[in-house]
Short mmCIF file of all heavy atoms in Angstrom, two decimals:
data_model
loop_
_atom_site.label_atom_id
_atom_site.label_comp_id
_atom_site.label_asym_id
_atom_site.label_seq_id
_atom_site.Cartn_x
_atom_site.Cartn_y
_atom_site.Cartn_z
N VAL O 20 -20.36 -42.86 69.20
CA VAL O 20 -19.96 -41.70 69.97
C VAL O 20 -19.94 -40.48 69.06
O VAL O 20 -20.11 -40.61 67.84
CB VAL O 20 -18.59 -41.91 70.66
CG1 VAL O 20 -18.68 -43.00 71.72
CG2 VAL O 20 -17.51 -42.26 69.66
N ALA O 21 -19.71 -39.32 69.59
CA ALA O 21 -19.79 -38.07 68.83
C ALA O 21 -18.87 -38.06 67.61
O ALA O 21 -19.20 -37.47 66.58
CB ALA O 21 -19.47 -36.88 69.74
N SER O 22 -17.73 -38.74 67.70
CA SER O 22 -16.79 -38.76 66.57
C SER O 22 -17.26 -39.63 65.42
O SER O 22 -16.65 -39.62 64.35
CB SER O 22 -15.43 -39.27 67.05
OG SER O 22 -15.53 -40.66 67.38
N GLY O 23 -18.32 -40.41 65.65
CA GLY O 23 -18.79 -41.35 64.63
C GLY O 23 -18.25 -42.74 64.82
O GLY O 23 -18.60 -43.66 64.10
N ALA O 24 -17.38 -42.93 65.80
CA ALA O 24 -16.83 -44.25 66.10
C ALA O 24 -17.90 -45.11 66.78
O ALA O 24 -18.85 -44.60 67.36
CB ALA O 24 -15.60 -44.13 66.99
N MET O 25 -17.73 -46.42 66.71
CA MET O 25 -18.65 -47.38 67.33
C MET O 25 -18.02 -47.87 68.64
O MET O 25 -16.82 -48.12 68.69
CB MET O 25 -18.86 -48.54 66.36
CG MET O 25 -19.82 -49.59 66.85
SD MET O 25 -20.22 -50.81 65.59
CE MET O 25 -18.66 -51.66 65.38
N ARG O 26 -18.85 -47.99 69.68
CA ARG O 26 -18.35 -48.45 70.97
C ARG O 26 -19.18 -49.61 71.52
O ARG O 26 -20.40 -49.64 71.38
CB ARG O 26 -18.41 -47.33 72.01
CG ARG O 26 -17.42 -46.23 71.82
CD ARG O 26 -15.98 -46.70 72.10
NE ARG O 26 -15.08 -45.58 72.12
CZ ARG O 26 -14.49 -45.07 71.05
NH1 ARG O 26 -14.73 -45.58 69.88
NH2 ARG O 26 -13.66 -44.06 71.16
N ALA O 27 -18.50 -50.54 72.17
CA ALA O 27 -19.16 -51.58 72.96
C ALA O 27 -19.84 -50.89 74.13
O ALA O 27 -19.24 -50.01 74.76
CB ALA O 27 -18.13 -52.59 73.46
N VAL O 28 -21.08 -51.27 74.41
CA VAL O 28 -21.81 -50.66 75.53
C VAL O 28 -22.51 -51.73 76.35
O VAL O 28 -22.75 -52.84 75.88
CB VAL O 28 -22.86 -49.61 75.06
CG1 VAL O 28 -22.19 -48.43 74.39
CG2 VAL O 28 -23.90 -50.24 74.17
N ARG O 29 -22.84 -51.34 77.59
CA ARG O 29 -23.61 -52.18 78.48
C ARG O 29 -24.77 -51.34 79.02
O ARG O 29 -24.57 -50.22 79.47
CB ARG O 29 -22.74 -52.65 79.64
CG ARG O 29 -23.52 -53.48 80.68
CD ARG O 29 -22.68 -53.80 81.87
NE ARG O 29 -22.58 -52.60 82.70
CZ ARG O 29 -22.13 -52.60 83.94
NH1 ARG O 29 -21.69 -53.72 84.49
NH2 ARG O 29 -22.06 -51.50 84.64
N TRP O 30 -25.99 -51.89 78.92
CA TRP O 30 -27.15 -51.24 79.52
C TRP O 30 -27.50 -51.98 80.79
O TRP O 30 -27.64 -53.20 80.79
CB TRP O 30 -28.36 -51.30 78.59
CG TRP O 30 -28.34 -50.29 77.50
CD1 TRP O 30 -28.77 -49.00 77.56
CD2 TRP O 30 -27.89 -50.49 76.16
NE1 TRP O 30 -28.62 -48.38 76.35
CE2 TRP O 30 -28.07 -49.29 75.46
CE3 TRP O 30 -27.34 -51.58 75.48
CZ2 TRP O 30 -27.74 -49.13 74.13
CZ3 TRP O 30 -27.01 -51.43 74.15
CH2 TRP O 30 -27.21 -50.21 73.49
N GLN O 31 -27.66 -51.25 81.88
CA GLN O 31 -28.10 -51.84 83.14
C GLN O 31 -29.01 -50.84 83.86
O GLN O 31 -28.61 -49.69 84.08
CB GLN O 31 -26.90 -52.19 84.03
CG GLN O 31 -27.30 -52.92 85.29
CD GLN O 31 -26.08 -53.41 86.07
OE1 GLN O 31 -24.95 -52.99 85.85
NE2 GLN O 31 -26.32 -54.29 87.01
N VAL O 34 -29.35 -47.47 82.27
CA VAL O 34 -28.15 -46.65 82.15
C VAL O 34 -27.19 -47.31 81.16
O VAL O 34 -26.88 -48.50 81.28
CB VAL O 34 -27.45 -46.47 83.52
CG1 VAL O 34 -26.16 -45.67 83.38
CG2 VAL O 34 -28.40 -45.80 84.50
N LYS O 35 -26.72 -46.53 80.19
CA LYS O 35 -25.78 -47.04 79.17
C LYS O 35 -24.35 -46.68 79.60
O LYS O 35 -24.07 -45.55 79.98
CB LYS O 35 -26.09 -46.41 77.82
CG LYS O 35 -25.15 -46.87 76.72
CD LYS O 35 -25.57 -46.33 75.36
CE LYS O 35 -25.35 -44.86 75.26
NZ LYS O 35 -25.55 -44.33 73.92
N ARG O 36 -23.45 -47.68 79.54
CA ARG O 36 -22.05 -47.46 79.87
C ARG O 36 -21.18 -47.79 78.66
O ARG O 36 -21.26 -48.89 78.11
CB ARG O 36 -21.64 -48.35 81.04
CG ARG O 36 -20.18 -48.18 81.41
CD ARG O 36 -19.83 -48.92 82.66
NE ARG O 36 -18.43 -48.70 83.00
CZ ARG O 36 -17.87 -49.16 84.08
NH1 ARG O 36 -18.57 -49.85 84.95
NH2 ARG O 36 -16.60 -48.93 84.32
N ASN O 37 -20.37 -46.85 78.26
CA ASN O 37 -19.40 -47.04 77.18
C ASN O 37 -18.25 -47.88 77.75
O ASN O 37 -17.64 -47.50 78.75
CB ASN O 37 -18.91 -45.66 76.73
CG ASN O 37 -17.88 -45.72 75.61
OD1 ASN O 37 -17.20 -46.72 75.41
ND2 ASN O 37 -17.76 -44.62 74.89
N LEU O 38 -17.96 -49.02 77.12
CA LEU O 38 -16.91 -49.91 77.63
C LEU O 38 -15.52 -49.53 77.15
O LEU O 38 -14.54 -50.13 77.59
CB LEU O 38 -17.22 -51.37 77.25
CG LEU O 38 -18.57 -51.91 77.71
CD1 LEU O 38 -18.69 -53.38 77.35
CD2 LEU O 38 -18.81 -51.68 79.18
N GLY O 39 -15.44 -48.58 76.22
CA GLY O 39 -14.14 -48.14 75.73
C GLY O 39 -13.59 -49.01 74.62
O GLY O 39 -14.32 -49.77 73.97
N THR O 40 -12.29 -48.91 74.42
CA THR O 40 -11.60 -49.70 73.38
C THR O 40 -10.26 -50.17 73.92
O THR O 40 -9.86 -49.83 75.03
CB THR O 40 -11.35 -48.86 72.10
OG1 THR O 40 -10.31 -47.91 72.37
CG2 THR O 40 -12.60 -48.17 71.60
N LEU O 41 -9.56 -50.92 73.09
CA LEU O 41 -8.19 -51.37 73.40
C LEU O 41 -7.18 -50.40 72.80
O LEU O 41 -6.09 -50.79 72.41
CB LEU O 41 -7.96 -52.78 72.83
CG LEU O 41 -8.80 -53.89 73.47
CD1 LEU O 41 -8.66 -55.18 72.68
CD2 LEU O 41 -8.41 -54.10 74.93
N GLY O 43 -7.92 -48.34 70.12
CA GLY O 43 -8.29 -48.00 68.75
C GLY O 43 -9.59 -47.22 68.68
O GLY O 43 -10.11 -46.74 69.69
N ARG O 44 -10.14 -47.10 67.48
CA ARG O 44 -11.33 -46.27 67.24
C ARG O 44 -12.63 -46.97 67.61
O ARG O 44 -13.52 -46.35 68.17
CB ARG O 44 -11.34 -45.87 65.75
CG ARG O 44 -12.52 -45.05 65.34
CD ARG O 44 -12.36 -44.51 63.93
NE ARG O 44 -13.58 -43.95 63.40
CZ ARG O 44 -14.05 -42.74 63.65
NH1 ARG O 44 -13.39 -41.95 64.47
NH2 ARG O 44 -15.18 -42.33 63.11
N ASN O 45 -12.81 -48.25 67.29
CA ASN O 45 -14.10 -48.93 67.40
C ASN O 45 -14.04 -50.16 68.30
O ASN O 45 -12.99 -50.79 68.45
CB ASN O 45 -14.58 -49.38 66.01
CG ASN O 45 -14.76 -48.21 65.07
OD1 ASN O 45 -15.57 -47.32 65.32
ND2 ASN O 45 -14.01 -48.21 63.98
N SER O 46 -15.20 -50.50 68.86
CA SER O 46 -15.35 -51.74 69.62
C SER O 46 -16.81 -52.18 69.55
O SER O 46 -17.69 -51.37 69.25
CB SER O 46 -14.92 -51.56 71.08
OG SER O 46 -15.73 -50.60 71.75
N GLU O 47 -17.04 -53.47 69.82
CA GLU O 47 -18.40 -54.02 69.81
C GLU O 47 -18.49 -55.14 70.83
O GLU O 47 -17.65 -56.04 70.85
CB GLU O 47 -18.75 -54.57 68.42
CG GLU O 47 -20.13 -55.17 68.33
CD GLU O 47 -20.46 -55.72 66.95
OE1 GLU O 47 -19.57 -55.80 66.09
OE2 GLU O 47 -21.63 -56.08 66.75
N ALA O 48 -19.53 -55.11 71.67
CA ALA O 48 -19.79 -56.20 72.62
C ALA O 48 -20.61 -57.25 71.89
O ALA O 48 -21.55 -56.92 71.16
CB ALA O 48 -20.54 -55.67 73.83
N ILE O 57 -18.34 -59.46 79.94
CA ILE O 57 -18.70 -59.15 78.55
C ILE O 57 -17.52 -59.47 77.64
O ILE O 57 -16.37 -59.25 77.99
CB ILE O 57 -19.09 -57.66 78.43
CG1 ILE O 57 -20.32 -57.38 79.30
CG2 ILE O 57 -19.35 -57.28 76.98
CD1 ILE O 57 -20.64 -55.91 79.47
N TRP O 60 -15.09 -57.49 70.48
CA TRP O 60 -13.86 -57.13 69.77
C TRP O 60 -13.64 -55.62 69.88
O TRP O 60 -14.58 -54.86 70.08
CB TRP O 60 -13.89 -57.55 68.30
CG TRP O 60 -14.97 -56.86 67.50
CD1 TRP O 60 -16.22 -57.33 67.24
CD2 TRP O 60 -14.88 -55.59 66.86
NE1 TRP O 60 -16.93 -56.43 66.50
CE2 TRP O 60 -16.13 -55.34 66.24
CE3 TRP O 60 -13.88 -54.62 66.74
CZ2 TRP O 60 -16.40 -54.18 65.52
CZ3 TRP O 60 -14.15 -53.46 66.03
CH2 TRP O 60 -15.39 -53.25 65.42
N SER O 61 -12.40 -55.24 69.77
CA SER O 61 -12.03 -53.83 69.76
C SER O 61 -10.83 -53.65 68.85
O SER O 61 -9.99 -54.55 68.73
CB SER O 61 -11.66 -53.36 71.17
OG SER O 61 -11.15 -52.03 71.12
N PHE O 71 -11.78 -59.22 73.19
CA PHE O 71 -11.58 -58.72 74.54
C PHE O 71 -12.51 -59.41 75.52
O PHE O 71 -13.55 -59.95 75.16
CB PHE O 71 -11.76 -57.20 74.64
CG PHE O 71 -13.19 -56.72 74.53
CD1 PHE O 71 -14.09 -56.83 75.59
CD2 PHE O 71 -13.64 -56.15 73.35
CE1 PHE O 71 -15.40 -56.38 75.48
CE2 PHE O 71 -14.95 -55.70 73.23
CZ PHE O 71 -15.83 -55.82 74.30
N TRP O 73 -14.29 -58.04 79.13
CA TRP O 73 -14.51 -56.88 80.00
C TRP O 73 -15.06 -57.38 81.32
O TRP O 73 -16.09 -58.03 81.36
CB TRP O 73 -15.49 -55.91 79.34
CG TRP O 73 -15.69 -54.63 80.07
CD1 TRP O 73 -15.00 -53.47 79.90
CD2 TRP O 73 -16.68 -54.35 81.07
NE1 TRP O 73 -15.48 -52.49 80.73
CE2 TRP O 73 -16.53 -53.01 81.47
CE3 TRP O 73 -17.68 -55.11 81.68
CZ2 TRP O 73 -17.33 -52.41 82.43
CZ3 TRP O 73 -18.48 -54.51 82.64
CH2 TRP O 73 -18.30 -53.18 83.00
N GLY O 76 -14.99 -53.53 85.10
CA GLY O 76 -14.66 -52.23 84.54
C GLY O 76 -13.39 -52.17 83.72
O GLY O 76 -12.98 -51.09 83.29
N VAL O 77 -12.75 -53.33 83.49
CA VAL O 77 -11.49 -53.35 82.75
C VAL O 77 -11.64 -54.20 81.49
O VAL O 77 -12.07 -55.35 81.55
CB VAL O 77 -10.34 -53.92 83.63
CG1 VAL O 77 -9.05 -54.01 82.84
CG2 VAL O 77 -10.17 -53.08 84.88
N MET O 78 -11.26 -53.62 80.34
CA MET O 78 -11.24 -54.34 79.07
C MET O 78 -9.85 -54.94 78.86
O MET O 78 -8.86 -54.20 78.86
CB MET O 78 -11.59 -53.41 77.90
CG MET O 78 -11.66 -54.11 76.56
SD MET O 78 -12.03 -53.00 75.18
CE MET O 78 -13.78 -52.74 75.40
#
Side-chain angles (χ1 to χ4, degrees):
V20 293
S22 69
M25 182 172 68
R26 289 291 189 273
V28 296
R29 177 186 76 166
W30 281 275
Q31 185 173 15
V34 177
K35 179 175 70 171
R36 179 174 182 176
N37 180 337
L38 303 184
T40 72
L41 294 170
R44 178 171 168 81
N45 300 299
S46 62
E47 179 180 9
I57 298 169
W60 63 266
S61 173
F71 72 77
W73 186 91
V77 177
M78 183 181 284

